[in-house]
Amino acid sequence: MQCDYFDAGRCRSCTLMGTAYSGQLADKQARCVAALGPGPRWAEPFASRPAGFRNKAKLVVGGHRGAPTVGILDRGGRGVDLRHCGLYEDGLAEVVEQVPALVGELGLVPYDVPRRSGELKHVLITHSPAGELMVRFVLRSPGQLGRIRRGLPALRDRWPTARVVSVNLQPAHAAVLEGPEEIVLTEDQELPMVVNDVRLRLRARSFFQTNTAVAAGLYRQAREWIDEVDPPSLWDLYCGVGGFALHALQRPDASARDVLGVEVSPEAVESARAAAADLPGASRFVAGDVIAHLQTSPSPDLVVVNPPRRGIGTDLAAWLEESGVEHVLYSSCNVDSLAGDLARMPSLVPVRARLFDMFPQTPHLEVLTLLHRAG
C-alpha cells in the first residue's frame, strides 16, 4: 500500500507502510509461533485486504471554526487533516471525506488542545456491512449539543443511512477518546452488524473489531473449533456484545448449547441479550466482574476468553488451571501477554492456533488458540 500522508511525513501511525504485505504477514506469523511454540497445529494465516479494511473512523478534530481538520494531532497538539486516508472501507471513506463540511455546516467549534478552548474533540463513525452508520460527536461540554440536535435533519439529508447519532461528553483535558456520558439523539439506539449469520447489535459505547471481514473469519474459525470439541456448556468471558457466544449457540446436530456470557459493561450485555433474542438456542448474559462470577457457578465444559491487551491475568489463569475445564478458546490481541498467561496454565496445552490479521500496515494482530487439558 502506498500512502501520500506517510510519504510526506504527516502521519506515521501505519509503521509498516511500504513493507510488502506478504512480508508483514510472514513476520506476524513468526512472532506468533515464537510466542506459542511449534506445538499447536497452525492453520494458514487469515489475511486481510491491505487497504480499505477499517469499519471505524476515530477522527481527532482540529483546526478552527469554518476550517476544521479531521485525522490526528501533531506533537504540538495541532490538527493534521487525514480525510483521504486509504484504510477506510468503501462507504466509510466517502463519509469521512465529508466530515469537515458537516462540522462547518453545524457551526461546531473544534477543540484547541494548546489553548484548551473550543468544544468538538472527536467524531467517531462506525460503518456496518449493510452500509448503515453510527455517528458520535465527542464534546467538551453540552454547550454545542443544541447545534447537533438541531442539525440532525441536515446530517441525515447528507447521510441517509445514519441510524444512530449521539453526543458523548468528555470534559477532561486529557488524551482520552470519550467520556462516561452518552446522549443518543436518534430513536434507534443500536447499529445492527450482520457478521456471518449472526446479527450483532452495537450501542454507542460497544466494542467491535475494526476489520469486519477478518472478524467474521475469526468467529467462523472459533465456531469450527468449538464444534469439533462439541461442549454441552460454554462460557464466554469478556464477551462484549456476544460475538463468540452467539456464534456458538447451535451444536452440529442443531440442538441447543448452554451458553453463558459475562461482561463488565451493562450496555454490551444488553446488546448481547437483544441479539440472542433473534437466534434459536439457550443463552444467558450477565453484567459483572468475571472473577467474581467464577466463585459462584460450576465449571462449564469449555471457556472462551477474549481479554484486553493485558491478558487474563493471574487470578483467572489460576482459576482455569485448577478448575478442571477441559478446553479453553483464547483470542488474544497481544501475543506477549498470551504467552505469559499460558505459562501460568501449564495443564492447558495449545493444540490449534491461527493468526488473524486485523490491522495491516501495523504490528498489531489477533491470534486464536485452542487449549486442551493435558492428561
Side-chain angles (χ1 to χ4, degrees), residues 49-74:
R49 294 189 299 270
F53 61 85
R54 284 189 66 97
N55 59 31
K56 182 180 292 185
K58 300 179 180 180
L59 306 170
V60 182
V61 181
H64 52 83
R65 186 199 292 265
T69 62
V70 293
I72 60 175
L73 299 179
D74 65 17

Side-chain angles (χ1 to χ4, degrees), residues 24-367:
Q24 294 182 31
L25 204 59
D27 288 346
K28 292 181 182 184
Q29 177 71 8
R31 282 173 52 207
C32 291
V33 172
L36 272 66
R41 179 151 49 108
W42 284 92
E44 181 181 355
F46 194 102
S48 171
R49 294 189 299 270
F53 61 85
R54 284 189 66 97
N55 59 31
K56 182 180 292 185
K58 300 179 180 180
L59 306 170
V60 182
V61 181
H64 52 83
R65 186 199 292 265
T69 62
V70 293
I72 60 175
L73 299 179
D74 65 17
R75 293 183 178 179
R78 295 174 294 272
V80 178
D81 196 88
L82 303 175
R83 73 186 73 179
H84 300 294
C85 173
L87 298 185
Y88 302 124
E89 65 186 19
D90 289 344
L92 179 58
E94 293 79 5
V95 170
V96 170
E97 291 176 11
Q98 298 173 33
V99 169
L102 177 69
V103 169
E105 290 171 11
L106 296 178
L108 302 177
V109 180
Y111 183 66
D112 188 312
V113 171
R115 296 180 180 180
R116 301 193 180 195
S117 64
E119 286 294 328
L120 181 62
K121 293 185 171 184
H122 305 102
V123 178
L124 311 176
I125 306 173
T126 304
H127 182 251
S128 80
E132 295 182 310
L133 302 171
M134 178 186 291
V135 184
R136 303 172 64 207
F137 297 89
V138 181
L139 299 177
R140 182 176 68 157
S141 77
Q144 294 203 305
L145 172 60
R147 287 182 178 271
I148 298 173
R149 196 187 298 275
R150 292 190 297 273
L152 193 56
L155 183 152
R156 286 186 140 166
D157 284 343
R158 180 182 285 274
W159 300 329
T161 60
R163 182 156 184 161
V164 181
V165 180
S166 69
V167 169
N168 178 275
L169 300 181
Q170 203 290 82
H173 181 76
V176 178
L177 188 65
E178 59 190 48
E181 184 176 358
E182 194 85 24
I183 303 163
V184 180
L185 304 180
T186 50
E187 181 178 350
D188 283 315
Q189 304 268 322
E190 298 174 335
L191 178 69
M193 295 283 287
V194 178
V195 182
N196 301 314
D197 53 354
V198 175
R199 188 173 186 260
L200 300 174
R201 298 168 179 253
L202 303 189
R203 297 196 177 194
R205 294 167 59 81
S206 298
F207 169 79
F208 183 73
Q209 297 282 6
T210 302
N211 191 323
T212 304
V214 178
L218 174 70
Y219 291 137
R220 289 195 302 271
Q221 184 66 82
R223 175 190 275 167
E224 180 181 321
W225 287 350
I226 290 169
D227 286 347
E228 287 179 5
V229 174
D230 196 18
S233 61
L234 176 151
W235 287 358
D236 183 0
L237 307 182
Y238 309 101
C239 70
V241 297
F244 287 105
L246 297 172
H247 277 80
L249 270 176
Q250 292 300 108
R251 301 177 71 176
D253 62 3
S255 65
R257 181 176 282 131
D258 181 20
V259 173
L260 169 69
V262 183
E263 166 62 43
V264 70
S265 167
E267 185 176 74
V269 167
E270 286 302 314
S271 296
R273 288 172 178 165
D278 298 334
L279 297 171
S283 62
R284 294 166 291 140
F285 292 91
V286 298
D289 179 71
V290 166
I291 301 300
H293 180 79
L294 302 178
Q295 314 305 321
T296 60
S297 304
S299 302
D301 300 288
L302 183 147
V303 171
V304 178
V305 290
N306 182 27
R309 288 189 59 79
R310 64 179 179 272
I312 62 174
T314 304
D315 291 343
L316 180 51
W319 183 87
L320 287 169
E321 174 67 13
E322 300 298 329
S323 66
V325 170
E326 287 295 322
H327 312 282
V328 175
L329 189 67
Y330 193 137
S331 183
S332 171
C333 60
N334 184 343
V335 292
D336 296 324
S337 62
L338 170 60
D341 288 335
L342 292 178
R344 299 184 188 101
M345 302 183 295
S347 296
L348 290 163
V349 179
V351 294
R352 304 289 293 272
R354 191 174 191 184
L355 162 68
F356 292 83
D357 193 18
M358 292 282 184
F359 312 102
Q361 316 306 332
T362 79
H364 301 298
L365 56 86
E366 191 89 12
V367 60

